[in-house]
Amino acid sequence: MKFYVASGVPNAERVNQAAQVLSARGHERTYDWTKHGDVSAETPERKREVARMEAQAVLDAELVVLLLPGRFGTHAELGIAIASCVNKRILLWSESSAPFDGEQGFCVFYHHPAVERFTGLFESFLSYLSTL
């Protein structure tokens, strides 16, 4: 299965941990944005290239994993995943339920029917990913 892991740049280590778990199960990562990280200071051409590659990676993925907290890019990727959710699984993890309950960082699309929400320790979520 092809997968993509989205999150904010500060969560790059966790993104790679999740990707390692899925790769160990034989799944294929569609794009590793952590290799370049933040491109906000790059040229407009580079920003367009990264935006195109990340969007295509989400479209190509059969599984999209989103780790909160995320910023604008993470939410754009969530939107792309939802818009292309036929034959696609979308998993959304947060350490606390605050973003889902509307207490902190709420987004209505966290509650889209195609999104599976997970709350709890990151290690527990990694254990879950190891079953996929």
Side-chain angles (χ1 to χ4, degrees):
M1 166 174 54
K2 293 180 179 182
F3 70 90
Y4 181 82
V5 184
S7 190
V9 172
N11 288 333
E13 183 178 334
R14 283 185 166 173
V15 166
N16 284 325
Q17 288 175 318
Q20 288 170 356
V21 167
L22 291 165
S23 293
R25 299 281 297 158
H27 304 302
E28 177 187 346
R29 193 174 192 174
T30 57
Y31 184 72
D32 182 359
W33 60 265
T34 67
K35 289 181 179 177
H36 58 70
D38 183 4
V39 296
S40 62
E42 300 284 338
T43 65
E45 293 79 16
R46 176 67 174 143
K47 292 173 189 173
R48 280 192 291 276
E49 176 188 26
V50 169
R52 183 192 55 74
M53 290 188 301
E54 290 184 7
Q56 190 61 55
V58 173
L59 291 171
D60 291 344
E62 299 158 272
L63 171 67
V64 176
V65 177
L66 298 106
L67 308 176
L68 294 179
R71 293 197 29 94
F72 302 115
T74 307
H75 290 87
E77 291 161 338
L78 174 60
I80 294 166
I82 289 170
S84 65
C85 68
V86 175
N87 299 321
K88 186 181 307 285
R89 191 168 180 194
I90 305 167
L91 308 180
L92 178 61
W93 172 84
S94 175
E95 197 164 48
S96 78
S97 63
F100 306 141
D101 298 340
E103 296 173 25
Q104 179 183 15
F106 176 76
C107 176
V108 71
F109 292 101
Y110 295 165
H111 295 273
H112 187 279
V115 175
E116 298 174 55
R117 294 179 309 280
F118 295 84
T119 304
L121 295 175
F122 185 64
E123 293 73 21
S124 299
F125 184 63
L126 290 178
S127 293
Y128 176 76
L129 293 178
S130 73
T131 68
L132 302 179

